[in-house]
Amino acid sequence: MIDKLINEGKNLESEAKEGLGLKYFSSVEFEKWTTQSIFYLEQYFGNSAVTDKAKERFKTLNNNNNYSFYQFLLGSLEAAKEIKKDQEDNYTYSID
């Protein structure tokens, strides 16, 4: 799921519009991606300060700040993927 969200996020970049010197999104696909990404972070990183920050910023999204939120959220997903991979790599199996 996280790979799908990261790929969708990267693909959204081409939908960013420019106006008055800043980039912004105005699409259902952006709203869908942000919602799914927040749900993912809540499910797998629910007690994280990053998840809390994402939820707070999500509440105040508008066309003036949604591109910076997009960058934050995509970066957060990429970091979460690395953390999960490190956890899996360091997990040792034992048979009693």
Side-chain angles (χ1 to χ4, degrees):
M1 179 67 170
I2 195 163
D3 289 322
K4 177 181 175 278
L5 290 171
I6 290 170
N7 288 333
E8 287 176 357
K10 288 179 178 177
N11 291 336
L12 276 174
E13 176 72 31
S14 65
E15 293 183 20
K17 299 177 182 182
E18 284 201 49
L20 300 173
L22 63 115
K23 287 185 173 184
Y24 66 96
F25 292 95
S26 180
S27 70
V28 171
E29 288 306 310
F30 174 75
E31 296 296 332
K32 178 180 165 186
W33 177 76
T34 55
T35 301
Q36 288 176 335
S37 297
I38 296 288
F39 283 148
Y40 179 88
L41 290 174
E42 285 180 324
Q43 183 174 2
Y44 294 101
F45 298 92
N47 295 323
S48 165
V50 173
T51 300
D52 291 343
K53 183 176 179 180
K55 289 168 29 178
E56 284 304 310
R57 289 184 68 178
F58 183 73
K59 292 177 189 177
T60 62
L61 275 184
N62 60 52
N63 284 351
N64 292 327
N65 66 8
N66 70 12
Y67 188 78
S68 73
F69 180 71
Y70 157 79
Q71 292 175 310
F72 164 76
L73 194 53
L74 183 57
S76 298
L77 291 171
E78 289 175 340
K81 178 181 176 178
E82 289 179 25
I83 290 167
K84 283 191 76 142
K85 183 180 180 324
D86 286 347
Q87 289 173 342
E88 290 168 2
D89 289 348
N90 292 323
Y91 184 80
T92 56
Y93 296 92
S94 64
I95 300 174
D96 295 326

